[in-house]
Amino acid sequence: MAKKPLSAWPWENLGSFKYVIYGPLAANVMYSWIYEDSYKHPWCVHILIICALRGFMHQLWNSYNNMLFLGNCRIKQQGVEFKQIDNEWDWDNFILLQGLLATMACLMFPSMDDEFPIWNTKGFITLMLLHVMVSEPLYYWMHRFFHGRYLFTHYHSLHHSSSVPHPFTAGHATFLEHLILSMVIGIPIMGSILMGSGSTSMIYGYVLGFDFMRCMGHSNVEVIHGAIFNKLPFLRYLIYTPTYHSLHHSDMGTNFCLFMPLFDAMWNTLNSNSWQLHNKITSNSGENGRVPDFVFLAHILDVMSAMHIPFVNRSFASIPFSTRIFLLPFWPATLMILLMMWAWSKTFLLTFYNLRGRLYQTWVVPRFGFQYFLPFAADGINKKIEEAILKADRMGVKVISLAALNKNEALNGGGTLFVNKHPQLKVRVCHGNTLSAAVIVKEIPKDVKEVFLTGSTSKLGRAIALYLSRRHVRVLMLTSSTERFQKIQKEAPTDTQNYLVHVTKYQAAQNCKTWIAGKWITPWEQSWAPSGTHFHQFVVPPILASRRDCTYGDLAAMRLPEDVEGLGSCEYKLERGVVHACHAGGAVHQLEGWTHHEIGPIDVDRIDLVWEAALKHGFRPVFQP
């Protein structure tokens, strides 16, 4: 269906280049700063500052809305999915539009070049009167008109396409709607100015206050406690709440007001459940205390990846992680916050999704990756992990899976330390590495007869070597420890022990085109691989792809089932809908209802069983076997 006039944004095909529209304003400010004693057009500076503050305001609300660890009163229990994030990607179009309209107004009225006083009491009174008497009823009726069949279908339905309210949803609307909204916000400001009572604080305060209220109303977190309205009932009609506006999105024939429910009451469109639902949510009833069935216990990798989380930048978190230049200025502040977390923070909830009626959450241990290799930090890290396991046990979580270095053998024996210390645990502790091993061995083509394995005596390396030897694949196990090699070799059946070969140098693999990296391989060490080699890997961080004549696999991962709901963030560098195999392994453990702990060494006999269980439940390999 063709787009109707004024439904599309004029710059919707420009992508990030749309911000060039701010160029003339910025150029004017720079020219005045360099070549003139004072700003010839001070409004240029103010428009740029206000636009920046508006973006920051929305970002703060985004952060608060996604800080799940605060235990906020959430209105809808669903998560924001990738589709909604993509639809709302250009949520800030309205800021650009209103910046342009403000520029046009300033050019049309030369008096705007004069500096306004910082404060004018008369101006504030005039502004509030115009807001209540003009902007509020004007918005109410325009909003009702947009719910007519034609206007809703071609214009307003875009705003209602967001299934879970979010501060960015406030800006997700068509060009026509924001033109009208610009008129609504502009009338009180221009009216006060034209009456000669404008002030700088009035303009800043009203615009930012307007955005604050819009963000609050579209938040999925209730911020006004029901007790306030119970003590002061008249306030219910003067200020709306996130719950109040969420009812408009679910029951679109009610709650049309801008900020004041008074107008819904006057014209008989106030939803009768508004106060009851508000009290229910703020009293923490309903599903706000829902217990997850599965927890994936992760940790912070480094400073840059710490910014790849929804409450820092939702859009960035929805795509695979990569180091971006625009993040570098935030590096020092992020480091300071992480250091404070190191000192005071507890394990916290980061993200969640739903799968077949079950709630799956990711918790984060506030520790950096490098700390796991500091001997003096081991006890503190294990204490944090233990606290998380005991918390999950008290809550009634069924399975908790340890991610990355949280299951390091040298740290806690892959979770053995905690299970032995607390034998009465009801929550099942998993390292998920059985599925990790399955993903790696299933990725290797069946016609391969020889592989080269580094990190061969690690937990995963041992399981991979033993499994492949049973397939009669010759495994060149790189290790400097003859004792460790012989110990693993003795675990293999007698008739397959000869398939395990001890090597101590990379040169031994110069004719082998299948390498499995379980230990970091430098570019020089990779040079021993023949042309056409494929590097499988389970080493963190992944090895550098230094050979153009070779191919490189990703870390062991699996694609979540298609019926997953509420997923809106990527797990580190993995693509959308893909999680690390140890994450998937814990989820499968929960789905199967297995009652054993998956800790310590990998049971090679269970690799095929876990693989088949994962496929049965809809998990799919990322690679094409």
Side-chain angles (χ1 to χ4, degrees), residues 6 60 101 121 125-127 180 230 278 411 432 434 486 490 494 564 572 595 602 624:
L6 299 179
L60 288 178
L101 294 176
T121 303
I125 295 173
T126 303
L127 179 136
I180 294 173
N230 292 334
H278 182 255
L411 182 69
T434 307
Q486 291 177 345
K490 289 178 182 178
T494 304
V564 65
Y572 194 43
T595 58
I602 296 173
Q624 297 297 323

Side-chain angles (χ1 to χ4, degrees), residues 473-489:
V473 176
R474 190 167 181 261
V475 184
L476 306 180
M477 299 176 63
L478 180 69
T479 176
S480 58
S481 174
T482 303
E483 180 182 355
R484 289 183 181 179
F485 167 77
Q486 291 177 345
K487 182 179 179 181
I488 294 174
Q489 189 180 44

Side-chain angles (χ1 to χ4, degrees), residues 299-303 335 339 342 367-374 376-377 381 405:
H299 63 79
I300 302 168
L301 293 177
D302 52 43
V303 177
L335 177 61
L339 291 176
W342 183 357
R367 292 295 182 269
F368 293 95
F370 76 88
Q371 290 177 258
Y372 287 76
F373 301 100
L374 302 176
F376 64 83
I381 293 173
L405 297 172

Side-chain angles (χ1 to χ4, degrees), residues 231-507:
K231 292 181 179 179
L232 302 170
F234 69 92
L235 288 180
R236 295 174 177 173
Y237 298 97
L238 300 182
I239 181 172
Y240 79 161
T241 67
T243 304
Y244 185 92
H245 190 69
S246 72
L247 281 171
H248 169 71
H249 281 257
S250 58
D251 183 1
M252 291 184 285
T254 61
N255 295 7
F256 292 101
C257 75
L258 178 58
F259 304 137
M260 300 175 66
L262 172 65
F263 294 93
D264 280 307
M266 287 173 54
W267 288 306
N268 199 32
T269 54
L270 195 154
N271 192 300
S272 59
N273 293 323
S274 297
W275 318 134
Q276 180 182 359
L277 181 61
H278 182 255
N279 281 326
K280 179 180 178 181
I281 290 174
T282 56
S283 62
N284 206 30
S285 58
E287 293 188 28
N288 285 301
R290 185 180 174 191
V291 175
D293 294 273
F294 166 74
V295 168
F296 184 56
L297 188 61
H299 63 79
I300 302 168
L301 293 177
D302 52 43
V303 177
M304 293 302 291
S305 65
M307 289 183 267
H308 188 251
I309 51 179
F311 67 77
V312 173
N313 189 318
R314 186 186 75 165
S315 299
F316 182 46
S318 71
I319 57 178
F321 170 78
S322 61
T323 301
R324 305 297 180 95
I325 295 177
F326 73 87
L327 294 176
L328 295 178
F330 302 100
W331 194 95
T334 305
L335 177 61
M336 292 302 298
I337 293 172
L338 292 179
L339 291 176
M340 288 189 288
M341 290 175 62
W342 183 357
W344 296 298
S345 181
K346 298 180 180 179
T347 298
F348 60 92
L349 169 62
L350 181 63
T351 60
F352 72 93
Y353 61 88
N354 292 278
L355 181 62
R356 293 162 199 168
R358 299 174 174 89
L359 176 63
Y360 290 5
Q361 294 181 344
T362 295
W363 297 358
V364 176
V365 176
R367 292 295 182 269
F368 293 95
F370 76 88
Q371 290 177 258
Y372 287 76
F373 301 100
L374 302 176
F376 64 83
D379 290 342
I381 293 173
N382 276 331
K383 183 178 179 180
K384 293 291 183 184
I385 298 173
E386 182 180 7
E387 290 173 351
I389 293 174
L390 293 177
K391 177 183 177 181
D393 191 60
R394 291 192 301 270
M395 292 174 62
V397 177
K398 295 181 176 64
V399 176
I400 184 168
S401 184
L402 307 181
L405 297 172
N406 284 332
K407 59 191 174 196
N408 188 289
E409 286 294 317
L411 182 69
N412 52 47
T416 305
L417 172 68
F418 311 115
V419 174
N420 290 341
K421 186 176 179 180
H422 303 282
Q424 302 304 317
L425 284 175
K426 295 180 182 178
V427 63
R428 302 294 92 180
V429 181
C430 295
H431 53 51
N433 281 341
T434 307
L435 187 56
S436 298
V439 170
I440 294 169
V441 297
K442 299 296 182 180
E443 191 178 56
I444 298 172
K446 293 183 178 180
D447 59 348
V448 169
K449 299 302 180 183
E450 182 179 72
V451 301
F452 176 61
L453 177 63
T454 71
S456 58
T457 59
S458 65
K459 180 194 301 184
L460 269 170
R462 164 194 163 275
I464 292 168
L466 291 173
Y467 184 93
L468 291 178
S469 68
R470 296 182 183 184
R471 275 177 42 180
H472 292 177
V473 176
R474 190 167 181 261
V475 184
L476 306 180
M477 299 176 63
L478 180 69
T479 176
S480 58
S481 174
T482 303
E483 180 182 355
R484 289 183 181 179
F485 167 77
Q486 291 177 345
K487 182 179 179 181
I488 294 174
Q489 189 180 44
K490 289 178 182 178
E491 291 187 62
T494 304
D495 61 337
T496 64
Q497 288 183 0
N498 61 314
Y499 287 96
L500 301 177
V501 181
H502 182 207
V503 299
T504 58
K505 297 181 179 180
Y506 287 88
Q507 293 90 317

Side-chain angles (χ1 to χ4, degrees), residues 522-533:
T522 66
W524 181 84
E525 291 165 342
Q526 293 179 39
S527 67
W528 289 103
S531 179
T533 295

Side-chain angles (χ1 to χ4, degrees), residues 53-103:
L53 290 176
R54 299 182 78 180
F56 185 60
M57 172 78 73
H58 282 76
Q59 180 58 46
L60 288 178
W61 270 104
N62 164 74
S63 297
Y64 179 72
N65 201 70
N66 287 306
M67 288 180 176
L68 306 175
F69 53 85
L70 295 178
N72 297 320
C73 298
R74 303 190 68 77
I75 299 169
K76 288 193 173 183
Q77 300 305 309
Q78 303 97 307
V80 178
E81 298 186 339
F82 292 118
K83 181 180 179 180
Q84 179 174 336
I85 294 173
D86 290 343
N87 288 340
E88 296 176 352
W89 198 275
D90 293 313
W91 61 269
D92 60 343
N93 276 338
F94 77 98
I95 300 178
L96 186 58
L97 169 65
Q98 292 176 9
L100 286 173
L101 294 176
T103 301

